[in-house]
C-alpha cells in the first residue's frame, strides 16, 4: 500500500511517497522483506541488508 502526499514548497512542487515494508526475521540469520500487493521479496542476513536487496530488486523489476 502506498500513498502520495503533494506539498508545495518555495522551490516548487514536491511529491512524497509513503509505503509500508514488512520485515520478518526467519531464524537467527535470515530476514525477508515484502510489500503488500508487490510480488517481490528481498532477503538478507539482517533487516537493513534485506531492505537493500528488496529495493535493488524493485529497481530492476519489470
Amino acid at each position: 500500500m502506498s500513498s502520495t502526499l503533494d506539498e508545495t514548497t518555495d522551490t516548487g512542487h514536491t511529491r512524497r511517497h509513503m509505503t509500508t515494508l514488512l520485515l520478518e526475521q526467519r531464524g537467527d540469520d535470515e530476514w525477508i522483506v515484502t510489500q503488500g500487493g508487490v510480488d517481490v521479496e528481498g532477503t538478507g542476513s539482517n533487516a537493513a541488508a534485506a531492505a537493500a536487496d528488496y529495493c535493488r530488486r524493485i529497481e530492476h523489476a519489470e
Side-chain angles (χ1 to χ4, degrees):
M1 173 194 321
S2 67
S3 64
T4 301
L5 303 176
D6 291 334
E7 177 182 289
T8 303
T9 65
D10 292 356
T11 60
H13 188 76
T14 301
R15 289 184 61 180
R16 296 181 182 180
H17 299 272
M18 294 183 350
T19 191
T20 301
L21 298 178
L22 176 63
L23 294 107
E24 181 179 349
Q25 186 176 16
R26 295 185 181 166
D28 290 336
D29 60 354
E30 183 180 30
W31 285 79
I32 307 295
V33 175
T34 57
Q35 180 180 8
V38 179
D39 291 331
V40 174
E41 184 175 275
T43 60
S45 59
N46 57 53
D53 181 55
Y54 177 84
C55 291
R56 279 190 296 277
R57 291 171 188 250
I58 288 293
E59 179 182 16
H60 296 32
E62 293 186 18

